[in-house]
Amino acid sequence: MVEWTEQERSIINGIFANLDYDDVGAKALCRCLIVYPWTQRYFGAFGNLYNAEAIKTNPNIAAHGVKILHGLDRAVKNMDNIKATYAELSVLHSEKLHVDPDNFKLLSDCLTIVIAARLGNSFTPETQAAWQKFLAVVVSALGRQYH
Ligand code: HEM
């Protein structure tokens, strides 16, 4: 089981309490689709992803970015039980969507960059450490049901 210090818990809760879901969700998913274009293959039903501009203005992508962040809310609310919290979502991504689990890490790195850019000086080393630990646990939990 993953142990969290009070400081880590308060950092993670603080980030989500002040999060602009619309902006951060859309930017993180767009960045992932642009920087790692092979991730676009899973979003064929989302309409035009023809170039970076099309990705950035695609409303389905923006909405899905927000959905992903709300997916992360579940981990924040269940920090002591992230693995079980994501069991179903892991099965969905693996068995139904066939998302290569390496992509979870790519998306989480894009999310870190977007959060860091928004937080500026308050993205301290302690904040970065807690945030990346949180995402690593999420990525591991989402990859659990792959076999
Ligand atoms: C769907 C969360 C990473 C592709 C979803 C849903 C959530 C979610 C909450 C909606 C599930 C539902 O409708 O019941 C997350 C989280 C991720 C993550 C928390 C990592 C931090 C990824 C990655 C990809 C991906 C990296 C592909 C590169 C998809 C697709 C859908 C989906 C294609 C279905 C979209 C649709 O047709 O509506 N994800 N996801 N996800 N996810 Fe993820």
Side-chain angles (χ1 to χ4, degrees):
M1 190 175 116
V2 182
E3 303 284 343
W4 302 97
T5 65
E6 283 312 310
Q7 189 198 27
E8 287 168 340
R9 287 178 197 275
S10 106
I11 288 171
I12 298 304
N13 279 298
I15 289 175
F16 278 89
N18 296 303
L19 196 61
D20 180 341
Y21 282 70
D22 291 337
D23 185 56
V24 171
K27 280 190 182 147
L29 182 56
C30 283
R31 183 176 281 260
C32 183
L33 294 169
I34 292 165
V35 179
Y36 309 113
W38 59 89
T39 58
Q40 292 170 22
R41 71 193 297 264
Y42 305 104
F43 298 97
F46 279 44
N48 186 1
L49 305 176
Y50 192 68
N51 57 25
E53 204 44 44
I55 291 170
K56 288 195 237 175
T57 52
N58 183 315
N60 295 324
I61 294 296
H64 192 66
V66 177
K67 200 185 258 187
I68 289 174
L69 288 192
H70 283 299
L72 291 179
D73 280 345
R74 294 188 222 161
V76 180
K77 294 196 182 97
N78 297 282
M79 279 181 74
D80 293 313
N81 205 5
I82 293 180
K83 210 192 291 177
T85 304
Y86 279 150
E88 222 173 284
L89 208 50
S90 179
V91 171
L92 177 81
H93 283 83
S94 137
E95 288 174 21
K96 182 153 174 248
L97 301 170
H98 305 293
V99 171
D100 182 330
D102 288 351
N103 293 322
F104 298 139
K105 174 81 169 80
L106 303 181
L107 177 63
S108 80
D109 286 346
C110 289
L111 193 49
T112 298
I113 291 168
V114 175
I115 296 271
R118 278 194 70 104
L119 292 188
N121 287 339
S122 41
F123 198 69
T124 62
E126 291 76 16
T127 300
Q128 180 179 355
W131 176 251
Q132 293 198 177
K133 175 176 169 181
F134 173 75
L135 286 183
V137 176
V138 165
V139 166
S140 156
L142 282 174
R144 288 291 293 193
Q145 303 296 326
Y146 283 76
H147 45 86

